[in-house]
Amino acid sequence: MAATVEIVQPIVSELVTNARKYASGPTLLRLRVTGAVVRVELWDSNPVVPTAKAHDAERIGQHGLEIVRALAQTVTVERTPLGKRITAYIALTTATT
C-alpha cells in the first residue's frame, strides 16, 4: 500500500498544481478505490485538453502530464460542459518500500 501512496501523491500534486495554474474557476478532486484500483479524478473549469510535450531534458517545467502518464496505468481526459475531467488509474500494490 505504501508503494501506491508514493505513486498517487505526485499524480495528485501535478493535477492540482496544473488546475490551479491554468483554470480560473472551481476545481474538484476525487480519489476513489474500486477493487484493486485507485482512481484520481480532477475536474477543472479550463476546457483546454492538455497535451504532453515531446521529451526535452533541457526543458524546465511543463512536465506534469508526462509525469502523470508515466506513473498511472491509464490516463483519460474528457471535456465536460464546464471544463474538463482528467482521470488517472493506479493499481493498488501491497509492496512495501
Side-chain angles (χ1 to χ4, degrees):
M1 185 67 129
T4 303
V5 171
E6 289 182 11
I7 294 169
V8 171
Q9 283 178 333
I11 289 173
V12 168
S13 177
E14 290 297 332
L15 292 176
V16 170
T17 298
N18 287 341
R20 296 273 301 156
K21 186 173 182 179
Y22 298 111
S24 60
T27 300
L28 173 66
L29 174 69
R30 179 168 54 182
L31 282 74
R32 296 179 6 175
V33 176
T34 306
V37 175
V38 176
R39 186 164 74 189
V40 177
E41 296 175 294
L42 184 119
W43 286 266
D44 70 39
S45 60
N46 185 344
V48 175
V49 173
T51 57
K53 296 185 182 287
H55 177 72
D56 179 357
E58 301 292 318
R59 185 175 73 238
I60 297 173
Q62 298 186 339
H63 294 279
L65 191 56
E66 292 174 68
I67 292 168
V68 172
R69 285 190 172 158
L71 293 173
Q73 278 67 43
T74 306
V75 177
T76 61
V77 180
E78 303 170 75
R79 286 195 177 153
T80 65
L82 300 176
K84 68 178 168 298
R85 175 177 59 201
I86 301 173
T87 307
Y89 299 87
I90 303 97
L92 279 171
T93 63
T94 57
T96 58
T97 56

